[in-house]
Amino acid sequence: MATVLETSGGDFPIPANDIGNGYRPSADEPFMNPRQQDYFRAKLNGWKDAIYREAAGTLSQLQADSLRESDLADRATSETDWSIELRTRDRQRKLIAKIDAALRRIDEGEYGYCEVTGEPISLGRLEARPIATMTVEAQERHERNERVSRED
């Protein structure tokens, strides 16, 4: 079946942690300076490229291995496996939209700042989740409010 990339406890593959020259953003430098922007742009583009490569592999595998099992149980297992694989690809398609939005925010100078409070998002959070749009505190508040509204 398809190749699985390393994940960070979530459902999505995580790109390499540096852009090839060993640079890592630091709190000792100005926040979202051009070097940090280039770092996160490369990280996001690498993540996106990895998703596209994996999707291409899934597509070629799907075309090569059409369901040929004659046994009903084997066929059901294969169909279930492909269903899971295709759901994963759909989630990754949605992730690409979030990556593209993050790249647009870099181009517009808004990347790394919370969309709710306007405060800088910690470099650690951006390193772990480069598509983050809120600080941890704002995200927790948002999730609490969402939970409360669902319970009503």
Side-chain angles (χ1 to χ4, degrees):
M1 210 170 269
T3 335
V4 177
L5 296 177
E6 181 180 324
T7 60
S8 68
D11 297 331
F12 304 117
I14 299 298
N17 285 334
D18 63 45
I19 56 174
N21 60 7
Y23 170 75
R24 298 282 299 257
S26 160
D28 299 337
E29 57 188 323
F31 187 71
M32 281 304 125
N33 64 57
R35 193 170 185 197
Q36 286 182 358
Q37 289 176 356
D38 289 344
Y39 172 83
F40 285 109
R41 182 179 290 111
K43 184 171 187 138
L44 288 160
N45 281 320
W47 194 5
K48 187 173 159 181
D49 291 344
I51 292 169
Y52 279 135
R53 279 192 309 275
E54 191 172 346
T58 298
L59 182 59
S60 64
Q61 190 72 29
L62 185 58
Q63 290 170 341
D65 292 345
S66 61
L67 297 174
R68 297 184 192 128
E69 291 86 359
S70 57
D71 181 64
L72 289 178
D74 289 344
R75 182 173 293 181
T77 299
S78 292
E79 288 177 2
T80 300
D81 290 347
W82 281 114
S83 174
I84 291 168
E85 188 73 24
L86 293 173
R87 271 198 311 262
T88 300
R89 295 296 149 253
D90 186 52
R91 291 184 74 180
Q92 289 180 335
R93 178 185 55 80
K94 293 173 185 172
L95 178 59
I96 286 173
K98 290 181 180 182
I99 291 171
D100 287 339
L103 290 167
R104 272 191 306 277
R105 286 193 307 277
I106 289 173
D107 293 340
E108 295 167 0
E110 298 172 1
Y111 183 80
Y113 295 92
C114 180
E115 65 183 15
V116 175
T117 64
E119 297 173 7
I121 299 171
S122 73
L123 290 173
R125 176 160 170 76
L126 290 172
E127 189 71 46
R129 185 136 180 96
I131 58 173
T133 59
M134 291 185 250
T135 61
V136 171
E137 297 80 14
Q139 183 70 43
E140 287 172 347
R141 242 185 341 268
H142 173 74
E143 290 173 5
R144 267 194 309 276
N145 292 340
E146 199 173 73
R147 208 172 313 128
V148 167
S149 65
R150 259 188 285 155
E151 292 172 357
D152 289 341

